Amino acid sequence: MSRGLDNAVIPASPALSEQLRTTQKARRQQRERHRAATTGWLRAAVLGANDGILSTSSLMLGVAAAHATHSSVLITGVAGLVAGAMSMAAGEYVSVHSQADTEKADLKLERAELANDNEGEHKELMAIYIARGVEPSLANQVARQLMEQDALGAHARDELGISNTFRARPVQAALASAGSFAVGAVMPLLVTIVAPSSAVIPLIAGTSLGFLALLGGLAARAGGAGMMVGALRVTFWGTLAMGLTAGVGSLFGKA
Ligand SMILES: [Zn+2]
């Protein structure tokens, strides 16, 4: 029986094959849940790198289209890298920090409520479990026992939706976005360093779109979606961004 479940070769009966399907489905779901939990940071890193590639290469293309010298294009790229990384870090820090402030204020309020009205808080927690489908007498018991263990923890998790794994970490978040942006921005910069002056525009545009498609495809695959769709989506927006900036650059370059 257990060998049959593991190898999934010849189901002996309809009942067994049904059980087999259920087990395989449960395993697949388990794997997918796992994937959702571990791809959070990967998704953030890929998005940061995408931003770095796209905004830096667009910036350099705009300046190059305005007939700037090779060294001006390079300086623009370096300035774009630093400005973009710092702006990503600042934005991420402020956003995550304000989230942490909200969580802290919520927890403070909850602590005060627990101290003032413990019975009311027990009813509140019980009502939450009932609303999730637990029968009233069991919900009463679960709420009581969880509150004996760690009342604030139980309310934080089940009432406010704050858990330790999702606690906001502003500095790590800021460093991670700045770092991933910089990694992305370095790609078009390196291409510009080695590219001959005459071919800067097509080389930056071509390699950046290639990197974007690759990252988009990998990100889609890591998230369990189709690689092709992910690559095409990011390539479309990349082409639009680079085309527009280059267009604006060549307009102003003529004046
Ligand atoms: Zn509460």
Side-chain angles (χ1 to χ4, degrees):
M1 174 97 163
S2 77
R3 193 191 298 158
L5 280 177
D6 279 331
N7 294 335
V9 192
I10 311 160
S13 69
L16 184 59
S17 74
E18 178 56 38
Q19 193 179 353
L20 197 70
R21 262 198 300 277
T22 319
T23 315
Q24 284 170 337
K25 198 178 160 203
R27 276 196 202 140
R28 209 161 42 231
Q29 279 169 347
Q30 207 169 13
R31 235 185 355 250
E32 272 154 20
R33 251 204 312 281
H34 213 73
R35 189 144 64 179
T38 49
T39 50
W41 65 269
L42 184 65
R43 191 174 164 275
V46 169
L47 285 180
N50 265 342
D51 269 5
I53 296 173
L54 189 52
S55 69
T56 310
S57 60
S58 297
L59 199 58
M60 290 196 294
L61 281 176
V63 176
H67 309 295
T69 61
H70 195 249
S71 68
S72 300
V73 175
L74 264 179
I75 291 165
T76 305
V78 174
L81 183 155
V82 177
M86 284 316 295
S87 130
M88 293 282 282
E92 195 68 15
Y93 183 86
V94 169
S95 127
V96 176
H97 206 284
S98 75
Q99 190 194 332
D101 287 344
T102 313
E103 287 182 3
K104 217 182 278 174
D106 278 346
L107 285 176
K108 197 180 161 198
L109 194 70
E110 198 61 39
R111 205 176 280 123
E113 282 174 0
L114 281 166
N116 296 331
D117 181 16
N118 201 53
E119 196 43 42
E121 286 299 301
H122 169 255
K123 285 209 186 88
E124 188 185 52
L125 201 57
M126 191 179 138
I128 289 169
Y129 297 139
I130 292 172
R132 286 183 196 165
V134 180
E135 62 176 71
S137 66
L138 184 58
N140 179 24
Q141 231 175 325
V142 171
R144 177 119 16 231
Q145 287 182 10
L146 282 177
M147 280 177 73
E148 274 164 18
Q149 275 277 321
D150 174 15
L152 186 64
H155 281 261
R157 205 172 46 239
D158 292 332
E159 185 191 342
L160 306 172
I162 303 171
S163 68
N164 272 327
T165 31
F166 292 115
R167 274 284 163 74
R169 292 180 181 83
V171 175
Q172 281 96 320
L175 287 177
S177 338
S180 56
F181 182 96
V183 168
V186 156
M187 295 186 191
L189 263 177
L190 288 179
V191 170
T192 311
I193 290 172
V194 298
S197 298
S198 55
V200 159
I201 291 179
L203 277 175
I204 294 179
T207 52
S208 295
L209 283 176
F211 287 136
L212 282 173
L214 188 69
L215 276 179
L218 287 178
R221 197 176 156 182
M227 267 185 102
M228 217 37 211
V229 181
L232 280 177
R233 200 156 33 197
V234 78
T235 310
F236 169 78
W237 286 104
T239 310
L240 196 65
M242 288 182 210
L244 269 176
T245 356
V248 170
S250 72
L251 266 181
F252 282 90
K254 270 176 198 149

